[in-house]
Amino acid sequence: WNNSFDSLVNCASLDCAAPTSSPTNKDNKRSITPNTRGRLAKDLLKGLCRRESPKKEFTMDRDYRSMKDPMKERPPAMIREDRKDSIGSVNFPEDEEEVYIVKQSMGYCSYFFSFLQTIILIIMMTQCGIAPLNINPMIGPYPDALSYWGGKNAVNIIDDGEWWRLLTPMMLHAGVVHLFSNIAVQLETGAFFEREWGWMNWLIIYTVSAVGSSILSVICMPNSISVGSSGAVMGLFGAKLAEVVCRCCETADSRAKRVAQDVRKEQCGGTLCAVTLVMAFSFIPFVDWAAHLGGLISGLLTGFAVFSCSMEMIVSRVLFCAGGIIITVVTFVWALAYMYSGAVDPAEELRDVCGYYQQFFDDYECHCMKNQQD
């Protein structure tokens, strides 16, 4: 063994082709000391390992991103979400940023509606004046201006056939306080819902909820002028509850789905709290509780029709989607039929909004309705 080992050492150190049989290479006049032998043996083993298994610099992130598969074309956020689940043998850092995937980067419809509602209120207050606080505590125009601009007026809707008043109230607000209260929720929670759902689903839910809130307000509170987007906002909350129910049975087989489930759990608690607070304050004066309740119910039904179409199980998808559409259509048809059946009897005095409110306020001034009469 010693002779063979010395021969390998000499061969490795001198790059020779033929081994020698002596610890001392006399032909080359080089002696192998014990220290030199250990160092050369170590170098020799490194060389053998290098020949058998060449050293390679390997970085998981670089090699993983260079793999030619569909994930290469996916956004970086989605790659961060799915990478740990795709390679089970690799442990990525636990503190890696968790990303919640949404459909849009901004809530375009939420911003547009909020901007347009603000412009309309400014024009209303400029044209029709600002009412005293004892008449309008919301710091806004006189009630006749609200009716003139398209507010919910039951006598005009039922007797005069002005059906478009079921939709236009969502663009109007009673005053500055009313506007800021609604658009604050609309720009924060409403915009985030739009980013999750996409602008098309958001617009459908927002519009249908606004119509539903006006219908129930006509039925339950026919002798009042109502405006505001609060019914539509309540519909967004109702649709979020429907989404949570429709997607509660989804399998969390990826990190992105687990993050989405956690987000929806938090949203469910916040939505229930917001709905409870809004409904609790809906019975104070100058607040249309029927519009809030109608928007909530309409949004809930529309949400089932919209979000059930994306359920994982085919049977549940068909049943919930068909049931949601049928129940929504039947509910709206029944409510409209009841509203126009003659069971709702609004006050005829509301045809003259100025005269109606002058009965209660001595300092009431008519501007918009006067211009309309002229």
Side-chain angles (χ1 to χ4, degrees), residues 100 243-244 247 250 260-268:
Y100 180 44
E243 181 194 14
V244 172
R247 304 185 66 178
E250 286 187 356
Q261 282 191 351
D262 294 338
V263 171
R264 284 194 295 271
K265 289 179 182 178
E266 296 179 0
Q267 289 177 338
C268 182

Side-chain angles (χ1 to χ4, degrees), residues 255-301:
R255 189 171 188 179
K257 289 185 177 181
R258 290 194 295 270
V259 173
Q261 282 191 351
D262 294 338
V263 171
R264 284 194 295 271
K265 289 179 182 178
E266 296 179 0
Q267 289 177 338
C268 182
T271 300
L272 289 174
C273 181
V275 169
T276 302
L277 290 176
V278 172
M279 293 306 301
F281 285 98
S282 296
F283 296 93
I284 63 177
F286 304 104
V287 177
D288 193 344
W289 64 266
H292 292 171
L293 182 60
L296 179 65
I297 296 175
S298 301
L300 183 66
L301 297 177

Side-chain angles (χ1 to χ4, degrees), residues 31-269:
S31 61
I32 306 299
T33 63
N35 293 336
T36 305
R37 181 184 302 174
R39 179 175 56 81
L40 293 176
K42 184 177 180 181
D43 295 339
L44 174 61
L45 293 176
K46 287 184 178 180
L48 292 175
C49 294
R50 187 178 298 111
R51 292 189 185 99
E52 293 177 359
S53 178
K55 187 177 180 181
K56 178 183 178 181
E57 294 291 336
F58 182 77
T59 303
M60 175 56 67
D61 288 344
R62 183 176 67 243
D63 287 23
Y64 178 73
R65 287 194 295 267
S66 64
M67 293 171 62
K68 294 182 178 180
D69 63 353
M71 292 192 67
K72 183 177 180 181
E73 303 299 328
R74 299 173 70 179
M78 296 186 67
I79 291 179
R80 284 202 302 272
E81 294 298 331
D82 299 338
R83 187 169 56 190
K84 183 175 181 180
D85 298 290
S86 300
I87 305 179
S89 61
V90 179
N91 294 324
F92 288 89
E94 294 296 334
D95 58 347
E96 185 178 0
E97 181 182 2
E98 294 182 344
V99 179
Y100 180 44
I101 301 174
V102 296
K103 292 185 178 181
Q104 295 181 186
S105 60
M106 298 178 63
Y108 303 105
C109 289
S110 301
Y111 300 153
F112 173 75
F113 276 96
S114 300
F115 173 77
L116 193 59
Q117 289 161 357
T118 304
I119 296 299
I120 291 176
L121 179 62
I122 294 175
I123 296 175
M124 287 174 57
M125 296 173 65
T126 303
Q127 179 183 5
C128 303
I130 301 176
L133 294 181
N134 65 320
I135 298 177
N136 187 352
M138 298 293 178
I139 312 178
Y142 288 86
D144 64 285
L146 305 179
S147 178
Y148 173 71
W149 275 78
K152 185 224 77 179
N153 190 331
V155 68
N156 295 131
I157 295 174
I158 296 176
D159 296 340
D160 299 340
E162 297 180 1
W163 56 267
W164 46 268
R165 288 180 178 269
L166 297 175
L167 184 62
T168 52
M170 72 175 184
M171 303 303 302
L172 308 175
H173 288 84
V176 177
V177 177
H178 190 203
L179 175 69
F180 285 171
S181 300
N182 283 340
I183 66 173
V185 180
Q186 198 166 277
L187 290 175
E188 181 68 22
T189 306
F192 187 74
F193 288 171
E194 183 184 352
R195 294 175 61 194
E196 292 180 304
W197 303 339
W199 69 271
M200 181 63 72
N201 291 336
W202 188 94
L203 184 60
I204 292 174
I205 295 170
Y206 190 84
T207 305
V208 174
S209 301
V211 175
S213 66
S214 297
I215 292 175
L216 191 61
S217 179
V218 170
I219 294 174
C220 298
M221 301 182 65
N223 298 326
S224 63
I225 306 296
S226 299
V227 293
S229 61
S230 54
V233 173
M234 289 293 290
L236 299 179
F237 289 142
K240 171 55 67 174
L241 296 177
E243 181 194 14
V244 172
V245 174
C246 291
R247 304 185 66 178
C248 64
C249 297
E250 286 187 356
T251 56
D253 54 358
S254 67
R255 189 171 188 179
K257 289 185 177 181
R258 290 194 295 270
V259 173
Q261 282 191 351
D262 294 338
V263 171
R264 284 194 295 271
K265 289 179 182 178
E266 296 179 0
Q267 289 177 338
C268 182

